[in-house]
Amino acid sequence: MQDHFLSKARVDIFRPFTGRHRAVFFEVVTEIYERTLGVNADYEIVLDRLALTEIIVDALDKNRSLIFSGEEGDEELDCAGDDRDYADKVRKRLKRFGVIEEYNDSAYLKVLWRFTPEGKRIAKMFADTRRKTSVARQRSVRACKGALKAFSEEGNHEYLVDAYEYASTIFDDVCQVSDLFTEHQRRIMGHSFSTSKEALVGYMLGVNDFDKRASRYFDSDNIYNHASDIVDLTESIAAMNPAVLEAADRKMMDEHPALEEEANGERLHTWMLARIRRVVESTRDIKHEELHRVVGEFSTNYAILIGRLIKLSAVGNDDPLIRFAGLFAAAGDEERDEICREMLHHLFPLRADLIDPADLKIADRADRARTPTVIVRKQRSREEMLAADIRNAMTAAFAVPAKEVVSRVHAAVLANGGSTSVTQLPVGDARQLLAAMSAVEIVRSLGPEIGLTVSVGDECRSNGAFRTVDHKISQRA
């Protein structure tokens, strides 16, 4: 059974990130991660108590304004004497709730500080919210494709593990692009533009920004450019030599027991390839289509907005609605009441024409017209029935059930040591001949379900009954 995150961490590990000072704790944990484990980490830093205190004090100095004043107080931190006392209390709280820990370092012969395994995951999550360089880069798609290709060529199990890890972030990468565009759309549509020219300039600035940061996803990094290749690679890997795949499974089980636990008894390579295909196809068919639709709707809505601004700019002060809005905004309370009464006086009708009740009559409901329908069945002659029975008999005589074809192909594959070809299938009688002639089509349509795969042959051969391209039929790994 897989352990839950909170079964290893302390249940209240997120407690420091609540209360008035939560923003400071967020900045402190993020800064520690960036300084020690991030992309721009200082690998020469020795995280002793002095260095940790300096990081906390520096984060507090930059983010003191983020302490929320309108919430319930925190007596421990609110009563800190100075910044160093505050930093000491922050460090103790992070340790008490299992975010960081101290340990004896044999190289420096002193007590140093580091993240706990669970605290490191939380800190990485916080640090990822700051990273902008990874947004809209489909590194995972190309990396997954390259890893699958390397495994198919070399058979190194680590390449297959890498492909699985890369595939796990493909959907998230596309979601980043979608979130980026949503943020751009919200910023543009939420701004109040006074003129159509100003709105158009703002729109183009946003478009240029989006073009620099995410346009590559719609061309070179488009999921459609790689999804089909990834699916084809997974199919070719599934048809590889069973011995190679079994050896890869054994090595992955020895080196990555967590993957074996997730596979839940299924062969590792089969489970991983299925997960990769599902992620890639879902990303292509769902998220990518959704993103394109949202982009199109936004462009249409913004074009309508600019068109309305242009119309208002052309009318200027001659538009009655604009003149009324300006007059109403400049008026006082008493004047507004008078303006409203005057407007209602002009809007409401001054005369109402009433209908004489004597002229009202209740009409009788007309009967529903029904169209008579008579079903006439033509009696078939004896000759027509005989011809139909002959056609049915001919169809049944020259039709072999798919289940029977699969059974015959399986028997031939087992008899030939795991693979056979079309011309090697038995053709001793009419049913065997029909089964052999339809074997390729049926195996291709039912291959994933029956455990067989078809490889295109290189030359035409004859088995004495018919001549065809000699396709190879193998047992799927």
Side-chain angles (χ1 to χ4, degrees), residues 174 217-218 222-224 282-293:
V174 182
Y217 176 73
F218 292 96
N222 194 316
I223 185 68
Y224 276 100
S282 299
T283 304
R284 177 189 61 188
D285 300 336
I286 300 175
K287 202 63 183 179
H288 183 77
E289 293 297 330
E290 176 185 330
L291 179 60
H292 269 272
R293 184 177 65 254

Side-chain angles (χ1 to χ4, degrees), residues 314-384:
V315 173
N317 295 330
D318 294 333
D319 185 75
L321 183 60
I322 293 179
R323 284 190 283 112
F324 172 78
L327 181 64
F328 193 82
D333 292 339
E334 296 182 0
E335 294 176 343
R336 288 181 180 179
D337 292 340
E338 185 179 350
I339 292 174
C340 289
R341 283 193 298 269
E342 187 69 19
M343 173 170 279
L344 292 175
H345 176 72
H346 287 282
L347 290 177
F348 283 173
L350 299 180
R351 178 181 125 183
D353 294 329
L354 302 178
I355 300 175
D356 186 357
D359 293 338
L360 297 176
K361 295 181 181 179
I362 299 176
D364 295 332
R365 182 177 179 181
D367 293 334
R368 182 178 179 182
R370 297 182 179 273
T371 303
T373 56
V374 178
I375 300 176
V376 180
R377 291 187 174 89
K378 180 182 178 182
Q379 291 286 13
R380 295 189 301 170
S381 63
R382 182 177 181 280
E383 289 75 13
E384 290 175 339

Side-chain angles (χ1 to χ4, degrees), residues 140-153 159 163 166 230 233:
S140 55
V141 174
R142 294 190 299 272
C144 177
K145 177 180 174 181
L148 288 173
K149 187 175 182 181
F151 177 78
S152 65
E153 295 174 351
Y159 290 130
Y166 290 135
I230 291 177
L233 284 169

Side-chain angles (χ1 to χ4, degrees), residues 34 39 126-135 139 176:
E34 292 290 352
V39 178
F126 289 164
D128 285 343
T129 62
R130 286 184 173 180
R131 293 190 62 193
K132 300 299 182 182
T133 56
S134 63
V135 174
R139 304 178 315 280
Q176 285 189 13

